[in-house]
Amino acid sequence: MLGRLFAMIVKELLAILRDPRARIILIVPPTVQLVVLGLATTLEVKNVDIGIFDRDGGAWSREFSERLAGSPNFREIRPIHSAGAMRRAIDNQEVLAVVVFGQGFSGDIAAGRPAEVQLILDGRRSNAAQIVSGYIFAIAEGLSGELGSGTGLTSSITTHWFNPNLDYLWFTMPGLLVVITTVLGLGLTAQTVARERELGTFDQLMVSPLRVPEILVGKMVPPVLVGFFDATLYVIIIPAIFGVPLRGSVPLLYLSLLFYLLALVGVGMLVSSIAQTQQQAFLGMFLVAVPAILLSGYASPVDNMPGWLQIVAQGNPSKHFLVVSEGIFLKAMPPGDVLANTWPLGLIAVVTLAASAILFRARME
Amino acid sequence: MTPGLRRIRAMLVKETLQILRDPSTFLIAFVLPLILLFLFGYGVSLDTRDVKIGLALQDASAAARSLASAYEQSPWFDVHGSRELGDLENDMIAGRIRGIIVIPQDFGVHLARRDGGAEIQIITDGSLPNTASFVAAYAEGVRASWAEGYAGEHGLRVSPPLTVNPRFWFNPELASRYFLVPGSIAIVMTMIGTLLTALVVAREWERGTMEALMATPLGMAELIATKVIPYFVLGLGSAALCALLAVTLFGVPFRGSIPAFLGISSVFLIPALGQGLLISALSKNQFVASQVALIVAFLPAMVLSGFVFEIGSMPKPIQIITHFVPARYLIPSLQTVFMVGDLWGLYLRNSLILLGFGVVFFLLAIRATRRRLD
Amino acid sequence: MTAALARLEGVIRRFARPAVTALDGVSLDILPGRMTGLVGPDGAGKTTLIRLLAGLLDPDQGRVEVLGAPATRSDRAALGYMPQRFGLYEDLSVIENLTLHAELRGLPLAELDARLAELLDFTDLARFKPRLAGRLSGGMKQKLGLACAMVRAPKLLLLDEPGVGVDPVSRRELWAMVAELASSGIGVLWSTAYLDEAERCDTVHLLHEGKLLHSGPPADLTDTVRGRTFRLFAGAGARRALLERALDRDDVTDGTIQGASLRLVLAPEAKPPDAEALGRDIPLEVRPVPPRFEDAFVDRLGGGPPGTSALAVYYRDIPENDAPAIAAEGLTRRFGDFTAAHDISFSVARGQIFGLLGPNGAGKSTTFKMLCGLLTPSEGSGRVAGHDLRTARAEARQSLGYMAQKFSLYGDLSVRQNLDFFSGVYGLRGQARRAAIERVTDIFRLGSYLSTNAGLMPLGYKQRLALACAVMHEPPVLFLDEPTSGVDPIVRREFWTHINGLVGKGVTVLVTTHFMDEAEYCDRIALIYRSEQIATGTPDSLKDDAARMSELKDPTLEDAFIALIEASDRAREAAA
């Protein structure tokens, strides 16, 4: 029994590790993905071009403009001289926003009257526009404060826990650990059974004394090992190269990762046992992986989803593991909270693995 | 009819029948677009609202309670009980709340003394940077407007404010699905144009039918034409279906014209199809073709096109790479045709670039498709 | 002298991976109105030669001319080409495939309907017009492939191993169809592993390692062994042992079993061995028989392998046992409304070879799969080595060795890793495992390939590896599903030498095959047709039955096969 299982595991490992190219594939693309995706998938808004349509030309509009130019978030400040030019600049996406000073702007301020700055934003990129409007609000507030406006009675002090400078990379990196593991784990598993079926080796396994649980376990081992390998790579690279803190317990991360990988293997195996061909397995994997990632909280917070979809998202293993990964990297998440997000992974693994074992058997009837 | 046209017609009939019968085609051309629309319509939302925050009200003064109720009544926040700071900390670690407002013990005293020491503390969950910025900005906003109201009530002098009056053109409701749903059409066309085309051509190699075709009078240019036309139609049809659903189901406005939409989509399909043909000609294997299509077409379209993630915020080297992602030149046109109305100058500029990509990909694909088996 | 339709002159063609010279200075002509055969062992360069003619490859040196132009620029409308896998669109129907090829080749519209009707009639596919090509049987696919290749009466027809995996009835029909075309004046190049087909060609080219060993009428080659072919009546019991001894002699170059007798090819000048030389005390009846092309083919390639199987020498003795090693009782399998196999019953005693024969899609694969546990029977039961397949599946599996129809080992693992895997799966451990692997490596000459990917080996070696993996755990029962499909005669002989040797040790074998000469090796045969078991018996008794029914004199097993199927059809029609 152990001999058979061992032979099966060795064979499965060889199937993915034998090819020298395959060995490189396990290291290079995940690293490149981590770097490229880490740097590219940012929801921050920097280097924005904005326009200034100054119909006032007074001291205060110039002051305001200089403060805009001094902001690190803006790249180019483009002067605009007519309403038509403003329309064209926005339409053609040359600028994301235009700050408009009305004719009496400086006069109003000097006279102590309420002054207004018009801000026109390109709603096609509503997310970026919103953030840019936030930057400009802050500048206005600063100016306003210096003018002696505001009450001065109360104030607030803001602290960002876990990520004091709100560095977006601190969020993406632990998130990518989840995303890339998902793609890798599902991809490796979904192909295996469909591939054997297409090549005819599946019959060969079925006539051998191997039992269904032995075949399943044999197929589970490589994705789990590869997942651990790449996760270890990330646990080293992310703090060392990207400077993201790893504050929590690494053993807890690995424990949760184990259950996450098992859940992925279960889902992948299910896809694999339904698919007739490798191509269908690939597409099935794709149709599972894309929603899993997009609904994990990586692309946008789960909190923002409609309520019913948040309930559906409970069935998504990536959602739970993302909480753990972010939690352990940034928040030093205590064991209780890690386990609270890990048992759903175990449940998903048990359900999907049992279902695929049943499908496996049914395929023989 | 000339023999060439007859051959093309016969191949088109064949390809159409295969499209209708192959479950993979159905999956990519119809199921996948629906899933993507659904995900970007409902699942992915960059619109932060109703953020759960905790409120630690350590002061029992009337002013402190008034400020607390200002937070409770704010449409931006869902205040999650006012308890001990320690409990709230744990909630934040577990992710149950995204921010904490601390109104300290001496808040009321300082306020009454008017010594400027009435300071509240805003703590955010920095592990979600965007939500954290939101919480910081809006929590401060709530405080400021409460303070103004308080000052008014107590007859204190308030110097006239400097206000910023923002106007979001094209999308006053600031619904992120207005730009995400049109953007997902670009992904759908990339999948059909590149992934599906690469798969079907690779399938001909793998199943030996390419060998049989090459021994007939069918020319290689004819072969390419008969692969391009059906998937062009399919891609355009799928894009139109998505547009229809975007407008009817997700309420995305459509302010441009239908010909403009079809025009910019058609031009985008040229490089997409060219890339698909090139991949299949080089790999001749469905598995490899699908992996390559995923890495060189799908992922860049998703990540590097400016569809969700701002190109301007990426590091310089990655910004340079984005210039080679065809979808980058489609997304602005699509967002414009939905939200703005026809801007022919913008369409033309982007379409010319796409056309350039298309020509390059097709030339490479034709070079790579030889009538030989080796 | 008619002008050649196609001509190769001094053609050399090399490949980089794996590095081989597929064709090494080949020159030949293909003439109109003739069947030109192309034969040779696997990897001899047959497919390369045909692809060169079809203009799908460029020669490295030499010239390839087709219809008066270089092959890559020839008039493809006048060329019919059927690749090895038929090149059909499996998700298109019969008529859609045909119409596509008619349009591609520019068949005049006025002739279209009539020509398609004619071809459907000719190939007997009219009934299946709307059926998807993927759901046709192998024989029907092959006919459809041919119909597509000749939809616009080509001047030159190139057929790459059209008979692989196809049953004798279909092969015979196909041959008749192509022969009719050839007699109407077109040139046909027919590449084949079936030497009886080669024998009937007008000209035969024998390729070996990229070189032409023989070109000319097949009779010229056959004549080289004239007077050296004999038949020995051995009696059913002793034939395997006799063959082994005969083949071990230097003066016997080739030998096969034919029912209860042996067919031997002797070295030049040698006399037929007598009973004593073969270790028998009763005299043997020896009769000269006319030579066949296959005899000459094997002789020309240096003769068959020796008779003693090195594998059998080491194999354990399977203990005597009165219970049948394989038993099928009323096996029935239904898929929905369709009954794929109905009430199949037979039993095979220890140390016997039992053959399952029948046309493609008749139900023999279904029966085979039920017996090795890949399909659960709807009714009836099966036992392997005394273990019931329903209740003791794992034990039954442990006692059988399985070799699948097409190569189904792990092509991207090395030979060594495949051996490791299969020995481990069958529970071999430690020293026993190492010894078993070493032994089969040695016996099947896999040593030089140990670290090669199994998928990259020549077909013959893949076949050896598959057998090696099936026998390492020395099972008492072997299941072989078309084990030699597509393999050349030399490798097939080696294969059967091993099987014969193992049977001598008491191993029981269940085999399916389309090669009638292999069916001759069986002790008993069941013929399965339209899901029913229509005849069961020894090869000789089936031949006798057929002789009575069809008034054929001394029928071959192939004749018997066809006669029994025709008789079954007549009975069915009479009953209807």
Side-chain angles (χ1 to χ4, degrees), chain C residues 532-544:
Chain C
E532 306 275 350
Q533 185 178 358
I534 61 167
T536 310
T538 63
D540 286 344
S541 73
L542 292 185
K543 285 183 235 172
D544 291 344

PDB file of all heavy atoms in Angstrom, chain C residues 532-544:
ATOM      1  N   GLU C 532     -22.735  -9.481 -30.435  1.00  0.00           N
ATOM      2  CA  GLU C 532     -22.997 -10.878 -30.101  1.00  0.00           C
ATOM      3  C   GLU C 532     -21.737 -11.699 -30.346  1.00  0.00           C
ATOM      4  O   GLU C 532     -20.932 -11.384 -31.218  1.00  0.00           O
ATOM      5  CB  GLU C 532     -24.128 -11.449 -30.975  1.00  0.00           C
ATOM      6  CG  GLU C 532     -25.419 -10.655 -30.954  1.00  0.00           C
ATOM      7  CD  GLU C 532     -26.314 -11.031 -29.771  1.00  0.00           C
ATOM      8  OE1 GLU C 532     -26.009 -12.031 -29.088  1.00  0.00           O
ATOM      9  OE2 GLU C 532     -27.300 -10.293 -29.544  1.00  0.00           O
ATOM     10  N   GLN C 533     -21.660 -12.783 -29.580  1.00  0.00           N
ATOM     11  CA  GLN C 533     -20.560 -13.723 -29.774  1.00  0.00           C
ATOM     12  C   GLN C 533     -21.046 -14.704 -30.842  1.00  0.00           C
ATOM     13  O   GLN C 533     -21.880 -15.559 -30.561  1.00  0.00           O
ATOM     14  CB  GLN C 533     -20.339 -14.427 -28.437  1.00  0.00           C
ATOM     15  CG  GLN C 533     -19.184 -15.356 -28.357  1.00  0.00           C
ATOM     16  CD  GLN C 533     -19.082 -15.930 -26.943  1.00  0.00           C
ATOM     17  OE1 GLN C 533     -19.867 -15.584 -26.054  1.00  0.00           O
ATOM     18  NE2 GLN C 533     -18.138 -16.827 -26.734  1.00  0.00           N
ATOM     19  N   ILE C 534     -20.608 -14.544 -32.104  1.00  0.00           N
ATOM     20  CA  ILE C 534     -21.216 -15.370 -33.156  1.00  0.00           C
ATOM     21  C   ILE C 534     -20.479 -16.679 -33.388  1.00  0.00           C
ATOM     22  O   ILE C 534     -21.032 -17.595 -33.978  1.00  0.00           O
ATOM     23  CB  ILE C 534     -21.373 -14.595 -34.495  1.00  0.00           C
ATOM     24  CG1 ILE C 534     -20.016 -14.146 -35.044  1.00  0.00           C
ATOM     25  CG2 ILE C 534     -22.319 -13.416 -34.340  1.00  0.00           C
ATOM     26  CD1 ILE C 534     -20.099 -13.671 -36.479  1.00  0.00           C
ATOM     27  N   ALA C 535     -19.258 -16.809 -32.951  1.00  0.00           N
ATOM     28  CA  ALA C 535     -18.558 -18.089 -33.121  1.00  0.00           C
ATOM     29  C   ALA C 535     -17.433 -18.172 -32.111  1.00  0.00           C
ATOM     30  O   ALA C 535     -16.805 -17.164 -31.775  1.00  0.00           O
ATOM     31  CB  ALA C 535     -17.992 -18.198 -34.533  1.00  0.00           C
ATOM     32  N   THR C 536     -17.178 -19.385 -31.613  1.00  0.00           N
ATOM     33  CA  THR C 536     -16.066 -19.595 -30.697  1.00  0.00           C
ATOM     34  C   THR C 536     -15.423 -20.936 -31.053  1.00  0.00           C
ATOM     35  O   THR C 536     -16.141 -21.895 -31.296  1.00  0.00           O
ATOM     36  CB  THR C 536     -16.561 -19.646 -29.233  1.00  0.00           C
ATOM     37  OG1 THR C 536     -17.404 -18.514 -28.993  1.00  0.00           O
ATOM     38  CG2 THR C 536     -15.409 -19.627 -28.251  1.00  0.00           C
ATOM     39  N   GLY C 537     -14.106 -20.982 -31.081  1.00  0.00           N
ATOM     40  CA  GLY C 537     -13.450 -22.250 -31.374  1.00  0.00           C
ATOM     41  C   GLY C 537     -11.986 -22.055 -31.683  1.00  0.00           C
ATOM     42  O   GLY C 537     -11.469 -20.936 -31.587  1.00  0.00           O
ATOM     43  N   THR C 538     -11.309 -23.128 -32.051  1.00  0.00           N
ATOM     44  CA  THR C 538      -9.907 -23.007 -32.416  1.00  0.00           C
ATOM     45  C   THR C 538      -9.828 -22.387 -33.803  1.00  0.00           C
ATOM     46  O   THR C 538     -10.802 -22.425 -34.564  1.00  0.00           O
ATOM     47  CB  THR C 538      -9.235 -24.385 -32.474  1.00  0.00           C
ATOM     48  OG1 THR C 538      -9.887 -25.132 -33.519  1.00  0.00           O
ATOM     49  CG2 THR C 538      -9.380 -25.143 -31.163  1.00  0.00           C
ATOM     50  N   PRO C 539      -8.685 -21.808 -34.153  1.00  0.00           N
ATOM     51  CA  PRO C 539      -8.570 -21.216 -35.492  1.00  0.00           C
ATOM     52  C   PRO C 539      -8.921 -22.231 -36.580  1.00  0.00           C
ATOM     53  O   PRO C 539      -9.638 -21.909 -37.523  1.00  0.00           O
ATOM     54  CB  PRO C 539      -7.109 -20.795 -35.567  1.00  0.00           C
ATOM     55  CG  PRO C 539      -6.704 -20.564 -34.151  1.00  0.00           C
ATOM     56  CD  PRO C 539      -7.489 -21.543 -33.328  1.00  0.00           C
ATOM     57  N   ASP C 540      -8.442 -23.460 -36.410  1.00  0.00           N
ATOM     58  CA  ASP C 540      -8.704 -24.457 -37.453  1.00  0.00           C
ATOM     59  C   ASP C 540     -10.184 -24.809 -37.542  1.00  0.00           C
ATOM     60  O   ASP C 540     -10.727 -24.989 -38.632  1.00  0.00           O
ATOM     61  CB  ASP C 540      -7.850 -25.709 -37.205  1.00  0.00           C
ATOM     62  CG  ASP C 540      -6.397 -25.426 -37.554  1.00  0.00           C
ATOM     63  OD1 ASP C 540      -6.146 -24.417 -38.254  1.00  0.00           O
ATOM     64  OD2 ASP C 540      -5.519 -26.191 -37.110  1.00  0.00           O
ATOM     65  N   SER C 541     -10.831 -24.884 -36.357  1.00  0.00           N
ATOM     66  CA  SER C 541     -12.249 -25.258 -36.426  1.00  0.00           C
ATOM     67  C   SER C 541     -13.061 -24.131 -37.035  1.00  0.00           C
ATOM     68  O   SER C 541     -14.040 -24.363 -37.746  1.00  0.00           O
ATOM     69  CB  SER C 541     -12.780 -25.623 -35.033  1.00  0.00           C
ATOM     70  OG  SER C 541     -12.934 -24.474 -34.245  1.00  0.00           O
ATOM     71  N   LEU C 542     -12.672 -22.881 -36.807  1.00  0.00           N
ATOM     72  CA  LEU C 542     -13.382 -21.773 -37.448  1.00  0.00           C
ATOM     73  C   LEU C 542     -13.200 -21.832 -38.954  1.00  0.00           C
ATOM     74  O   LEU C 542     -14.121 -21.580 -39.716  1.00  0.00           O
ATOM     75  CB  LEU C 542     -12.888 -20.432 -36.912  1.00  0.00           C
ATOM     76  CG  LEU C 542     -13.222 -20.108 -35.451  1.00  0.00           C
ATOM     77  CD1 LEU C 542     -12.780 -18.681 -35.108  1.00  0.00           C
ATOM     78  CD2 LEU C 542     -14.707 -20.259 -35.158  1.00  0.00           C
ATOM     79  N   LYS C 543     -11.973 -22.173 -39.369  1.00  0.00           N
ATOM     80  CA  LYS C 543     -11.720 -22.293 -40.811  1.00  0.00           C
ATOM     81  C   LYS C 543     -12.575 -23.403 -41.394  1.00  0.00           C
ATOM     82  O   LYS C 543     -13.143 -23.245 -42.478  1.00  0.00           O
ATOM     83  CB  LYS C 543     -10.227 -22.566 -41.072  1.00  0.00           C
ATOM     84  CG  LYS C 543      -9.359 -21.335 -40.897  1.00  0.00           C
ATOM     85  CD  LYS C 543      -7.915 -21.651 -41.248  1.00  0.00           C
ATOM     86  CE  LYS C 543      -7.003 -21.277 -40.087  1.00  0.00           C
ATOM     87  NZ  LYS C 543      -5.631 -21.708 -40.240  1.00  0.00           N
ATOM     88  N   ASP C 544     -12.688 -24.498 -40.655  1.00  0.00           N
ATOM     89  CA  ASP C 544     -13.506 -25.619 -41.148  1.00  0.00           C
ATOM     90  C   ASP C 544     -14.959 -25.195 -41.278  1.00  0.00           C
ATOM     91  O   ASP C 544     -15.623 -25.490 -42.285  1.00  0.00           O
ATOM     92  CB  ASP C 544     -13.405 -26.810 -40.186  1.00  0.00           C
ATOM     93  CG  ASP C 544     -12.021 -27.425 -40.230  1.00  0.00           C
ATOM     94  OD1 ASP C 544     -11.277 -27.120 -41.202  1.00  0.00           O
ATOM     95  OD2 ASP C 544     -11.663 -28.185 -39.307  1.00  0.00           O
TER      96      ASP C 544
END
